[in-house]
Amino acid sequence: MRRSILVMLALCGILSVATSASALYVGATDVGGKDVLVSSTYLSNSGDAFELAWITSVLGGDAEWEIKYDVDKDDWSLTNEAGTYAMALSETPEYYLIKTATSGSLNNVFLFDNHDSLEWAVLNLSESFGEGYLVKNVGKFSHVVETNNNPVPEPGTFILLGAGLFGLAIFGKRRMNKDV
């Protein structure tokens, strides 16, 4: 029984420090894995206040602007995966917004959850913006907004996991004592 508990604790420890095996590279620089598209929409008026209000409605919290800047296609670098590009970010945001210079009713604002390496924006053009989105369209990115949301306390998750493991250990010990 003691051995089982030690194995479970070791497994939890290993899983808590595990990293992504899907790292992408720009040259020799590890830029992490692809970031996840959280939501996209069409904003007819995409001023700062409208963009921030939309981000807040999607994330359900109080978002804060970190930095906003214009980008062009020279800011993006091709990674070792076809169609996947990376751009160094100014800060280390939890989320970033990309506005494209599109017209009509197509989605023009895209919110990404920044994964793995917070210093990089990493995305696959076809997966994020639709089939046929080409590298020349990267030049149509109007600007990038880096933002952070109020953090969600994570220690509670580990406390619940520990309490569950402790409960299983007590249950197993009682069951073992009852069988003897």
Side-chain angles (χ1 to χ4, degrees):
M1 179 67 183
R2 187 176 300 172
R3 186 174 183 190
S4 299
I5 293 172
L6 289 175
V7 169
M8 289 293 287
L9 289 175
L11 181 61
C12 289
I14 291 170
L15 290 175
S16 69
V17 295
T19 60
S20 174
S22 61
L24 297 168
Y25 294 89
V26 171
T29 305
D30 180 356
V31 296
K34 289 183 270 188
D35 297 326
V36 176
L37 177 64
V38 176
S39 186
S40 64
T41 192
Y42 174 76
L43 294 178
S44 57
N45 183 344
S46 61
D48 291 354
F50 289 96
E51 290 174 0
L52 187 58
W54 177 71
I55 291 171
T56 301
S57 72
V58 170
L59 298 179
D62 295 328
E64 299 173 4
W65 292 111
E66 292 295 320
I67 190 167
K68 178 178 180 177
Y69 48 91
D70 294 333
V71 296
D72 63 30
K73 65 181 179 182
D74 295 332
D75 294 329
W76 293 89
S77 301
L78 182 63
T79 67
N80 57 318
E81 180 180 290
T84 301
Y85 290 82
M87 180 182 74
L89 297 172
S90 299
E91 301 290 329
T92 56
E94 294 175 64
Y95 300 91
Y96 60 91
L97 174 137
I98 293 178
K99 180 179 181 278
T100 60
T102 59
S103 59
S105 61
L106 296 174
N107 287 351
N108 65 343
V109 180
F110 301 83
L111 182 63
F112 289 87
D113 188 356
N114 198 0
H115 279 264
D116 293 340
S117 180
L118 298 179
E119 295 87 16
W120 290 88
V122 182
L123 50 94
N124 182 289
L125 297 178
S126 293
E127 291 173 10
S128 300
F129 302 103
E131 284 299 318
Y133 206 89
L134 306 172
V135 67
K136 67 178 182 167
N137 297 66
V138 171
K140 294 181 180 177
F141 288 172
S142 168
H143 58 266
V144 170
V145 176
E146 299 179 20
T147 184
N148 283 313
N149 199 27
N150 287 340
V152 176
E154 292 299 327
T157 303
F158 289 107
I159 291 170
L160 285 173
L161 178 64
L165 290 173
F166 183 71
L168 284 172
I170 290 174
F171 175 74
K173 184 156 178 83
R174 284 186 180 174
R175 187 171 166 198
M176 219 164 60
N177 287 341
K178 191 185 279 187
D179 291 341
V180 173

